Amino acid sequence: GDSVTQMEGPVTLSEEAFLTINCTYTATGYPSLFWYVQYPGEGLQLLLKATKADDKGSNKGFEATYRKETTSFHLEKGSVQVSDSAVYFCALSDRTGANSKLTFGKGITLSVRP
Amino acid sequence: ETGVTQTPRHLVMGMTNKKSLKCEQHLGHNAMYWYKQSAKKPLELMFVYNFKEQTENNSVPSRFSPECPNSSHLFLHLHTLQPEDSALYLCASSQDDRGIGNTIYFGEGSWLTVV
């Protein structure tokens, strides 16, 4: 079945540090890939997505590239801010099956200190 | 504001109570979802509705009973829950349930505590 594996957390960084959060996936079809973010006390918000190989999703300074050869979708940001502190979820939506339901990773907590 | 509104935001209920969670989406979508988020576990899909018809029940215990009267509203009726059912329940919607690239939009969630 489909699965998403995220690096273990939590991650603590200083403001303006470079961020990489690893995500790899297993899917039987040709999935779309997503990063969702959950700020404290809130629901999940879509951060970015990519729907085919080599696509790059980007938003709010975050980027992730769909790498089919390594089945990865790592999230990066060049300079994090305190306001980026949140839980980040990698997810996929697979073409096989009737539903476009999302399969999520476990999430990773990012804390950015001033 | 994501266009998906959940009420109540917080709910405390006893194991013998009957309560309901409500979700409303203002996005013109046709598919709606219930997810469960527990501490230290991946989000779990519970139910999917497409055009008011249930298209997925992910082996959810019968003490959780969904209802979708129209494409804009989704309920989760709760009865005789267990303490381990305490979690954040997230409602979501998307254009439909078949588009691989469809974005799923989430509400802010309802925090449920079963005592």
Side-chain angles (χ1 to χ4, degrees), chain A residues 93-114:
Chain A
S93 173
D94 201 333
R95 182 182 295 277
T96 60
N99 298 327
S100 60
K101 64 181 186 282
L102 291 170
T103 300
F104 284 90
K106 290 185 177 180
I108 184 169
T109 299
L110 170 66
S111 298
V112 180
R113 54 176 182 248

PDB file of all heavy atoms in Angstrom, chain A residues 93-114:
ATOM      1  N   SER A  93      -1.290  11.635  -2.729  1.00  0.00           N
ATOM      2  CA  SER A  93      -2.594  11.257  -3.237  1.00  0.00           C
ATOM      3  C   SER A  93      -2.337  10.404  -4.466  1.00  0.00           C
ATOM      4  O   SER A  93      -1.697  10.849  -5.413  1.00  0.00           O
ATOM      5  CB  SER A  93      -3.405  12.497  -3.602  1.00  0.00           C
ATOM      6  OG  SER A  93      -4.612  12.145  -4.233  1.00  0.00           O
ATOM      7  N   ASP A  94      -2.847   9.165  -4.421  1.00  0.00           N
ATOM      8  CA  ASP A  94      -2.504   8.204  -5.460  1.00  0.00           C
ATOM      9  C   ASP A  94      -3.617   8.080  -6.478  1.00  0.00           C
ATOM     10  O   ASP A  94      -4.789   8.111  -6.143  1.00  0.00           O
ATOM     11  CB  ASP A  94      -2.231   6.840  -4.835  1.00  0.00           C
ATOM     12  CG  ASP A  94      -1.408   5.945  -5.734  1.00  0.00           C
ATOM     13  OD1 ASP A  94      -1.467   6.119  -6.961  1.00  0.00           O
ATOM     14  OD2 ASP A  94      -0.703   5.082  -5.210  1.00  0.00           O
ATOM     15  N   ARG A  95      -3.222   7.894  -7.744  1.00  0.00           N
ATOM     16  CA  ARG A  95      -4.215   7.776  -8.797  1.00  0.00           C
ATOM     17  C   ARG A  95      -4.976   6.462  -8.699  1.00  0.00           C
ATOM     18  O   ARG A  95      -6.133   6.391  -9.021  1.00  0.00           O
ATOM     19  CB  ARG A  95      -3.539   7.847 -10.174  1.00  0.00           C
ATOM     20  CG  ARG A  95      -4.497   7.786 -11.343  1.00  0.00           C
ATOM     21  CD  ARG A  95      -3.733   7.818 -12.653  1.00  0.00           C
ATOM     22  NE  ARG A  95      -3.042   9.067 -12.819  1.00  0.00           N
ATOM     23  CZ  ARG A  95      -3.610  10.168 -13.281  1.00  0.00           C
ATOM     24  NH1 ARG A  95      -4.895  10.181 -13.580  1.00  0.00           N
ATOM     25  NH2 ARG A  95      -2.906  11.273 -13.429  1.00  0.00           N
ATOM     26  N   THR A  96      -4.305   5.396  -8.205  1.00  0.00           N
ATOM     27  CA  THR A  96      -4.979   4.109  -8.135  1.00  0.00           C
ATOM     28  C   THR A  96      -6.044   4.156  -7.057  1.00  0.00           C
ATOM     29  O   THR A  96      -5.888   4.816  -6.046  1.00  0.00           O
ATOM     30  CB  THR A  96      -3.990   2.979  -7.836  1.00  0.00           C
ATOM     31  OG1 THR A  96      -3.357   3.233  -6.582  1.00  0.00           O
ATOM     32  CG2 THR A  96      -2.948   2.881  -8.924  1.00  0.00           C
ATOM     33  N   GLY A  97      -7.136   3.457  -7.296  1.00  0.00           N
ATOM     34  CA  GLY A  97      -8.245   3.514  -6.341  1.00  0.00           C
ATOM     35  C   GLY A  97      -9.190   4.629  -6.713  1.00  0.00           C
ATOM     36  O   GLY A  97      -8.898   5.494  -7.516  1.00  0.00           O
ATOM     37  N   ALA A  98     -10.328   4.589  -6.124  1.00  0.00           N
ATOM     38  CA  ALA A  98     -11.395   5.501  -6.518  1.00  0.00           C
ATOM     39  C   ALA A  98     -11.291   6.868  -5.870  1.00  0.00           C
ATOM     40  O   ALA A  98     -11.859   7.828  -6.365  1.00  0.00           O
ATOM     41  CB  ALA A  98     -12.753   4.885  -6.174  1.00  0.00           C
ATOM     42  N   ASN A  99     -10.585   6.968  -4.795  1.00  0.00           N
ATOM     43  CA  ASN A  99     -10.607   8.220  -4.052  1.00  0.00           C
ATOM     44  C   ASN A  99      -9.276   8.945  -4.146  1.00  0.00           C
ATOM     45  O   ASN A  99      -8.222   8.351  -4.207  1.00  0.00           O
ATOM     46  CB  ASN A  99     -10.918   7.978  -2.577  1.00  0.00           C
ATOM     47  CG  ASN A  99     -12.270   7.356  -2.392  1.00  0.00           C
ATOM     48  OD1 ASN A  99     -13.176   7.621  -3.153  1.00  0.00           O
ATOM     49  ND2 ASN A  99     -12.397   6.500  -1.413  1.00  0.00           N
ATOM     50  N   SER A 100      -9.333  10.246  -4.087  1.00  0.00           N
ATOM     51  CA  SER A 100      -8.113  11.024  -4.015  1.00  0.00           C
ATOM     52  C   SER A 100      -7.760  11.276  -2.559  1.00  0.00           C
ATOM     53  O   SER A 100      -7.312  12.357  -2.216  1.00  0.00           O
ATOM     54  CB  SER A 100      -8.288  12.341  -4.754  1.00  0.00           C
ATOM     55  OG  SER A 100      -9.335  13.089  -4.182  1.00  0.00           O
ATOM     56  N   LYS A 101      -7.928  10.259  -1.715  1.00  0.00           N
ATOM     57  CA  LYS A 101      -7.648  10.473  -0.307  1.00  0.00           C
ATOM     58  C   LYS A 101      -6.147  10.616  -0.103  1.00  0.00           C
ATOM     59  O   LYS A 101      -5.338  10.095  -0.848  1.00  0.00           O
ATOM     60  CB  LYS A 101      -8.177   9.300   0.521  1.00  0.00           C
ATOM     61  CG  LYS A 101      -7.528   7.958   0.236  1.00  0.00           C
ATOM     62  CD  LYS A 101      -8.159   6.899   1.106  1.00  0.00           C
ATOM     63  CE  LYS A 101      -7.448   5.574   0.978  1.00  0.00           C
ATOM     64  NZ  LYS A 101      -7.838   4.898  -0.251  1.00  0.00           N
ATOM     65  N   LEU A 102      -5.801  11.331   0.936  1.00  0.00           N
ATOM     66  CA  LEU A 102      -4.406  11.586   1.246  1.00  0.00           C
ATOM     67  C   LEU A 102      -3.858  10.548   2.210  1.00  0.00           C
ATOM     68  O   LEU A 102      -4.522  10.168   3.164  1.00  0.00           O
ATOM     69  CB  LEU A 102      -4.265  12.968   1.882  1.00  0.00           C
ATOM     70  CG  LEU A 102      -4.515  14.169   0.971  1.00  0.00           C
ATOM     71  CD1 LEU A 102      -4.571  15.443   1.796  1.00  0.00           C
ATOM     72  CD2 LEU A 102      -3.428  14.266  -0.080  1.00  0.00           C
ATOM     73  N   THR A 103      -2.639  10.133   1.970  1.00  0.00           N
ATOM     74  CA  THR A 103      -1.875   9.325   2.913  1.00  0.00           C
ATOM     75  C   THR A 103      -0.816  10.239   3.509  1.00  0.00           C
ATOM     76  O   THR A 103      -0.011  10.818   2.780  1.00  0.00           O
ATOM     77  CB  THR A 103      -1.216   8.129   2.221  1.00  0.00           C
ATOM     78  OG1 THR A 103      -2.228   7.302   1.642  1.00  0.00           O
ATOM     79  CG2 THR A 103      -0.409   7.324   3.225  1.00  0.00           C
ATOM     80  N   PHE A 104      -0.817  10.371   4.835  1.00  0.00           N
ATOM     81  CA  PHE A 104       0.056  11.311   5.511  1.00  0.00           C
ATOM     82  C   PHE A 104       1.247  10.621   6.158  1.00  0.00           C
ATOM     83  O   PHE A 104       1.168   9.464   6.590  1.00  0.00           O
ATOM     84  CB  PHE A 104      -0.700  12.038   6.623  1.00  0.00           C
ATOM     85  CG  PHE A 104      -1.630  13.107   6.140  1.00  0.00           C
ATOM     86  CD1 PHE A 104      -2.946  12.811   5.844  1.00  0.00           C
ATOM     87  CD2 PHE A 104      -1.190  14.407   5.994  1.00  0.00           C
ATOM     88  CE1 PHE A 104      -3.815  13.793   5.408  1.00  0.00           C
ATOM     89  CE2 PHE A 104      -2.051  15.398   5.556  1.00  0.00           C
ATOM     90  CZ  PHE A 104      -3.368  15.081   5.268  1.00  0.00           C
ATOM     91  N   GLY A 105       2.344  11.355   6.260  1.00  0.00           N
ATOM     92  CA  GLY A 105       3.421  10.968   7.151  1.00  0.00           C
ATOM     93  C   GLY A 105       3.054  11.343   8.574  1.00  0.00           C
ATOM     94  O   GLY A 105       2.000  11.934   8.825  1.00  0.00           O
ATOM     95  N   LYS A 106       3.937  11.011   9.507  1.00  0.00           N
ATOM     96  CA  LYS A 106       3.633  11.247  10.919  1.00  0.00           C
ATOM     97  C   LYS A 106       3.731  12.710  11.318  1.00  0.00           C
ATOM     98  O   LYS A 106       3.272  13.101  12.392  1.00  0.00           O
ATOM     99  CB  LYS A 106       4.562  10.418  11.798  1.00  0.00           C
ATOM    100  CG  LYS A 106       4.291   8.930  11.732  1.00  0.00           C
ATOM    101  CD  LYS A 106       5.164   8.172  12.725  1.00  0.00           C
ATOM    102  CE  LYS A 106       4.825   6.684  12.700  1.00  0.00           C
ATOM    103  NZ  LYS A 106       5.653   5.912  13.664  1.00  0.00           N
ATOM    104  N   GLY A 107       4.345  13.513  10.488  1.00  0.00           N
ATOM    105  CA  GLY A 107       4.520  14.920  10.821  1.00  0.00           C
ATOM    106  C   GLY A 107       5.787  15.146  11.612  1.00  0.00           C
ATOM    107  O   GLY A 107       6.281  14.259  12.319  1.00  0.00           O
ATOM    108  N   ILE A 108       6.314  16.341  11.483  1.00  0.00           N
ATOM    109  CA  ILE A 108       7.507  16.705  12.236  1.00  0.00           C
ATOM    110  C   ILE A 108       7.322  18.119  12.778  1.00  0.00           C
ATOM    111  O   ILE A 108       6.838  19.007  12.069  1.00  0.00           O
ATOM    112  CB  ILE A 108       8.774  16.600  11.364  1.00  0.00           C
ATOM    113  CG1 ILE A 108      10.024  16.893  12.185  1.00  0.00           C
ATOM    114  CG2 ILE A 108       8.708  17.540  10.166  1.00  0.00           C
ATOM    115  CD1 ILE A 108      11.317  16.558  11.468  1.00  0.00           C
ATOM    116  N   THR A 109       7.689  18.288  14.044  1.00  0.00           N
ATOM    117  CA  THR A 109       7.540  19.590  14.687  1.00  0.00           C
ATOM    118  C   THR A 109       8.804  20.416  14.482  1.00  0.00           C
ATOM    119  O   THR A 109       9.907  19.966  14.793  1.00  0.00           O
ATOM    120  CB  THR A 109       7.275  19.425  16.188  1.00  0.00           C
ATOM    121  OG1 THR A 109       6.061  18.683  16.364  1.00  0.00           O
ATOM    122  CG2 THR A 109       7.131  20.777  16.854  1.00  0.00           C
ATOM    123  N   LEU A 110       8.614  21.603  13.959  1.00  0.00           N
ATOM    124  CA  LEU A 110       9.718  22.539  13.773  1.00  0.00           C
ATOM    125  C   LEU A 110       9.566  23.674  14.782  1.00  0.00           C
ATOM    126  O   LEU A 110       8.506  24.305  14.853  1.00  0.00           O
ATOM    127  CB  LEU A 110       9.711  23.113  12.359  1.00  0.00           C
ATOM    128  CG  LEU A 110      10.670  24.291  12.104  1.00  0.00           C
ATOM    129  CD1 LEU A 110      12.114  23.841  12.227  1.00  0.00           C
ATOM    130  CD2 LEU A 110      10.402  24.916  10.729  1.00  0.00           C
ATOM    131  N   SER A 111      10.607  23.933  15.521  1.00  0.00           N
ATOM    132  CA  SER A 111      10.651  25.077  16.429  1.00  0.00           C
ATOM    133  C   SER A 111      11.794  25.975  15.993  1.00  0.00           C
ATOM    134  O   SER A 111      12.929  25.511  15.850  1.00  0.00           O
ATOM    135  CB  SER A 111      10.869  24.626  17.875  1.00  0.00           C
ATOM    136  OG  SER A 111       9.808  23.823  18.324  1.00  0.00           O
ATOM    137  N   VAL A 112      11.486  27.255  15.785  1.00  0.00           N
ATOM    138  CA  VAL A 112      12.506  28.223  15.382  1.00  0.00           C
ATOM    139  C   VAL A 112      12.669  29.221  16.508  1.00  0.00           C
ATOM    140  O   VAL A 112      11.703  29.874  16.922  1.00  0.00           O
ATOM    141  CB  VAL A 112      12.105  28.947  14.085  1.00  0.00           C
ATOM    142  CG1 VAL A 112      13.199  29.953  13.694  1.00  0.00           C
ATOM    143  CG2 VAL A 112      11.863  27.946  12.966  1.00  0.00           C
ATOM    144  N   ARG A 113      13.877  29.318  17.010  1.00  0.00           N
ATOM    145  CA  ARG A 113      14.132  30.233  18.117  1.00  0.00           C
ATOM    146  C   ARG A 113      14.764  31.528  17.601  1.00  0.00           C
ATOM    147  O   ARG A 113      15.508  31.509  16.616  1.00  0.00           O
ATOM    148  CB  ARG A 113      15.033  29.567  19.159  1.00  0.00           C
ATOM    149  CG  ARG A 113      16.315  29.026  18.623  1.00  0.00           C
ATOM    150  CD  ARG A 113      17.204  28.459  19.733  1.00  0.00           C
ATOM    151  NE  ARG A 113      18.468  27.982  19.175  1.00  0.00           N
ATOM    152  CZ  ARG A 113      18.800  26.706  19.134  1.00  0.00           C
ATOM    153  NH1 ARG A 113      17.990  25.786  19.635  1.00  0.00           N
ATOM    154  NH2 ARG A 113      19.951  26.343  18.597  1.00  0.00           N
ATOM    155  N   PRO A 114      14.442  32.653  18.278  1.00  0.00           N
ATOM    156  CA  PRO A 114      14.949  33.962  17.800  1.00  0.00           C
ATOM    157  C   PRO A 114      16.465  34.032  17.873  1.00  0.00           C
ATOM    158  O   PRO A 114      17.097  33.360  18.673  1.00  0.00           O
ATOM    159  CB  PRO A 114      14.314  34.956  18.764  1.00  0.00           C
ATOM    160  CG  PRO A 114      13.190  34.236  19.421  1.00  0.00           C
ATOM    161  CD  PRO A 114      13.552  32.768  19.426  1.00  0.00           C
TER     162      PRO A 114
END
